[in-house]
mmCIF file of all heavy atoms in Angstrom:
data_model
loop_
_atom_site.group_PDB
_atom_site.id
_atom_site.type_symbol
_atom_site.label_atom_id
_atom_site.label_comp_id
_atom_site.label_asym_id
_atom_site.label_seq_id
_atom_site.Cartn_x
_atom_site.Cartn_y
_atom_site.Cartn_z
ATOM 1 N N PRO A 386 -17.899 9.869 -19.895
ATOM 2 C CA PRO A 386 -17.292 11.218 -19.578
ATOM 3 C C PRO A 386 -16.565 11.785 -20.699
ATOM 4 O O PRO A 386 -16.292 11.123 -21.832
ATOM 5 C CB PRO A 386 -16.140 10.799 -18.487
ATOM 6 C CG PRO A 386 -15.804 9.481 -18.811
ATOM 7 C CD PRO A 386 -16.997 8.793 -19.457
ATOM 8 N N ILE A 387 -16.254 13.029 -20.659
ATOM 9 C CA ILE A 387 -15.307 13.703 -21.601
ATOM 10 C C ILE A 387 -13.867 13.201 -21.309
ATOM 11 O O ILE A 387 -13.510 13.360 -20.087
ATOM 12 C CB ILE A 387 -15.335 15.237 -21.616
ATOM 13 C CG1 ILE A 387 -16.887 15.607 -21.995
ATOM 14 C CG2 ILE A 387 -14.380 15.907 -22.490
ATOM 15 C CD1 ILE A 387 -17.199 16.963 -21.643
ATOM 16 N N VAL A 388 -13.099 12.667 -22.216
ATOM 17 C CA VAL A 388 -11.772 12.199 -21.920
ATOM 18 C C VAL A 388 -10.790 13.296 -22.467
ATOM 19 O O VAL A 388 -10.791 13.651 -23.547
ATOM 20 C CB VAL A 388 -11.476 10.863 -22.518
ATOM 21 C CG1 VAL A 388 -10.038 10.504 -22.338
ATOM 22 C CG2 VAL A 388 -12.500 9.770 -22.162
ATOM 23 N N ILE A 389 -9.957 13.854 -21.462
ATOM 24 C CA ILE A 389 -8.946 14.695 -21.877
ATOM 25 C C ILE A 389 -7.589 14.150 -21.841
ATOM 26 O O ILE A 389 -7.236 13.535 -20.765
ATOM 27 C CB ILE A 389 -8.961 15.935 -20.918
ATOM 28 C CG1 ILE A 389 -10.302 16.695 -20.965
ATOM 29 C CG2 ILE A 389 -7.899 16.995 -21.239
ATOM 30 C CD1 ILE A 389 -10.542 17.740 -19.951
ATOM 31 N N LYS A 390 -6.959 14.136 -22.974
ATOM 32 C CA LYS A 390 -5.645 13.546 -23.003
ATOM 33 C C LYS A 390 -4.625 14.696 -22.552
ATOM 34 O O LYS A 390 -4.500 15.554 -23.251
ATOM 35 C CB LYS A 390 -5.285 12.990 -24.401
ATOM 36 C CG LYS A 390 -6.055 11.717 -24.648
ATOM 37 C CD LYS A 390 -5.646 11.018 -25.892
ATOM 38 C CE LYS A 390 -6.380 9.663 -26.103
ATOM 39 N NZ LYS A 390 -5.876 8.723 -27.038
ATOM 40 N N VAL A 391 -3.850 14.409 -21.551
ATOM 41 C CA VAL A 391 -2.965 15.298 -21.096
ATOM 42 C C VAL A 391 -1.414 14.872 -21.400
ATOM 43 O O VAL A 391 -0.986 13.740 -21.089
ATOM 44 C CB VAL A 391 -2.953 15.460 -19.516
ATOM 45 C CG1 VAL A 391 -2.052 16.526 -19.038
ATOM 46 C CG2 VAL A 391 -4.385 15.637 -18.969
ATOM 47 N N PRO A 392 -0.674 15.704 -22.380
ATOM 48 C CA PRO A 392 0.591 15.261 -22.750
ATOM 49 C C PRO A 392 1.667 15.234 -21.576
ATOM 50 O O PRO A 392 1.313 15.968 -20.677
ATOM 51 C CB PRO A 392 0.998 16.271 -23.826
ATOM 52 C CG PRO A 392 -0.134 17.362 -23.734
ATOM 53 C CD PRO A 392 -1.168 16.849 -22.976
ATOM 54 N N HIS A 393 2.585 14.328 -21.632
ATOM 55 C CA HIS A 393 3.538 14.212 -20.582
ATOM 56 C C HIS A 393 4.099 15.582 -20.184
ATOM 57 O O HIS A 393 4.290 15.830 -18.958
ATOM 58 C CB HIS A 393 4.674 13.253 -20.894
ATOM 59 C CG HIS A 393 4.198 11.822 -21.029
ATOM 60 N ND1 HIS A 393 4.944 10.747 -21.335
ATOM 61 C CD2 HIS A 393 2.847 11.211 -20.805
ATOM 62 C CE1 HIS A 393 4.289 9.596 -21.234
ATOM 63 N NE2 HIS A 393 3.008 9.875 -21.009
ATOM 64 N N PHE A 394 4.394 16.476 -21.053
ATOM 65 C CA PHE A 394 5.173 17.614 -20.728
ATOM 66 C C PHE A 394 4.271 18.615 -19.919
ATOM 67 O O PHE A 394 4.661 19.219 -18.954
ATOM 68 C CB PHE A 394 5.611 18.435 -22.002
ATOM 69 C CG PHE A 394 4.572 19.261 -22.646
ATOM 70 C CD1 PHE A 394 4.246 20.540 -22.284
ATOM 71 C CD2 PHE A 394 3.892 18.639 -23.702
ATOM 72 C CE1 PHE A 394 3.213 21.237 -22.888
ATOM 73 C CE2 PHE A 394 2.837 19.387 -24.350
ATOM 74 C CZ PHE A 394 2.564 20.736 -23.853
ATOM 75 N N LEU A 395 2.955 18.552 -20.204
ATOM 76 C CA LEU A 395 1.991 19.350 -19.410
ATOM 77 C C LEU A 395 1.857 18.654 -17.935
ATOM 78 O O LEU A 395 1.683 19.472 -17.083
ATOM 79 C CB LEU A 395 0.563 19.276 -20.022
ATOM 80 C CG LEU A 395 -0.481 20.291 -19.658
ATOM 81 C CD1 LEU A 395 0.084 21.782 -19.590
ATOM 82 C CD2 LEU A 395 -1.658 20.214 -20.394
ATOM 83 N N VAL A 396 1.848 17.303 -17.777
ATOM 84 C CA VAL A 396 1.911 16.784 -16.538
ATOM 85 C C VAL A 396 3.011 17.274 -15.613
ATOM 86 O O VAL A 396 2.772 17.695 -14.515
ATOM 87 C CB VAL A 396 1.969 15.223 -16.598
ATOM 88 C CG1 VAL A 396 2.062 14.595 -15.268
ATOM 89 C CG2 VAL A 396 0.706 14.654 -17.346
ATOM 90 N N TYR A 397 4.179 17.326 -16.272
ATOM 91 C CA TYR A 397 5.336 17.841 -15.494
ATOM 92 C C TYR A 397 5.240 19.326 -15.203
ATOM 93 O O TYR A 397 5.702 19.683 -14.137
ATOM 94 C CB TYR A 397 6.681 17.593 -16.404
ATOM 95 C CG TYR A 397 7.268 16.216 -16.245
ATOM 96 C CD1 TYR A 397 6.890 15.171 -17.213
ATOM 97 C CD2 TYR A 397 8.052 15.749 -15.137
ATOM 98 C CE1 TYR A 397 7.453 13.896 -17.030
ATOM 99 C CE2 TYR A 397 8.569 14.620 -14.993
ATOM 100 C CZ TYR A 397 8.307 13.680 -15.856
ATOM 101 O OH TYR A 397 8.869 12.424 -15.764
ATOM 102 N N THR A 398 4.617 20.072 -16.073
ATOM 103 C CA THR A 398 4.402 21.482 -15.899
ATOM 104 C C THR A 398 3.574 21.712 -14.690
ATOM 105 O O THR A 398 3.851 22.538 -13.740
ATOM 106 C CB THR A 398 3.925 22.174 -17.195
ATOM 107 O OG1 THR A 398 4.713 21.850 -18.266
ATOM 108 C CG2 THR A 398 3.850 23.668 -16.959
ATOM 109 N N ILE A 399 2.424 21.128 -14.622
ATOM 110 C CA ILE A 399 1.431 21.169 -13.636
ATOM 111 C C ILE A 399 2.050 20.743 -12.286
ATOM 112 O O ILE A 399 1.894 21.294 -11.233
ATOM 113 C CB ILE A 399 0.177 20.289 -13.867
ATOM 114 C CG1 ILE A 399 -0.685 20.820 -15.156
ATOM 115 C CG2 ILE A 399 -0.681 20.342 -12.665
ATOM 116 C CD1 ILE A 399 -1.590 19.749 -15.756
ATOM 117 N N ALA A 400 2.825 19.575 -12.299
ATOM 118 C CA ALA A 400 3.553 19.052 -11.118
ATOM 119 C C ALA A 400 4.505 20.135 -10.616
ATOM 120 O O ALA A 400 4.644 20.325 -9.393
ATOM 121 C CB ALA A 400 4.276 17.792 -11.538
ATOM 122 N N ALA A 401 5.203 20.634 -11.401
ATOM 123 C CA ALA A 401 6.253 21.698 -11.033
ATOM 124 C C ALA A 401 5.560 22.996 -10.395
ATOM 125 O O ALA A 401 6.066 23.305 -9.382
ATOM 126 C CB ALA A 401 7.060 22.276 -12.337
ATOM 127 N N VAL A 402 4.541 23.443 -10.836
ATOM 128 C CA VAL A 402 3.719 24.517 -10.314
ATOM 129 C C VAL A 402 3.223 24.132 -8.897
ATOM 130 O O VAL A 402 3.365 24.853 -7.851
ATOM 131 C CB VAL A 402 2.477 24.956 -11.100
ATOM 132 C CG1 VAL A 402 1.729 25.903 -10.466
ATOM 133 C CG2 VAL A 402 3.078 25.523 -12.496
ATOM 134 N N ALA A 403 2.660 22.886 -8.883
ATOM 135 C CA ALA A 403 2.054 22.403 -7.508
ATOM 136 C C ALA A 403 3.127 22.229 -6.537
ATOM 137 O O ALA A 403 2.917 22.556 -5.239
ATOM 138 C CB ALA A 403 1.353 21.083 -7.829
ATOM 139 N N GLN A 404 4.290 21.674 -7.080
ATOM 140 C CA GLN A 404 5.421 21.573 -6.064
ATOM 141 C C GLN A 404 5.872 22.842 -5.445
ATOM 142 O O GLN A 404 6.339 23.079 -4.379
ATOM 143 C CB GLN A 404 6.571 20.808 -6.733
ATOM 144 C CG GLN A 404 7.599 20.328 -5.850
ATOM 145 C CD GLN A 404 8.552 19.347 -6.463
ATOM 146 O OE1 GLN A 404 8.064 18.480 -7.189
ATOM 147 N NE2 GLN A 404 9.837 19.415 -6.269
#
Side-chain angles (χ1 to χ4, degrees):
I387 296 163
V388 180
I389 298 169
K390 292 196 171 187
V391 185
H393 287 181
F394 80 87
L395 192 54
V396 174
Y397 277 98
T398 307
I399 296 164
V402 171
Q404 189 167 319

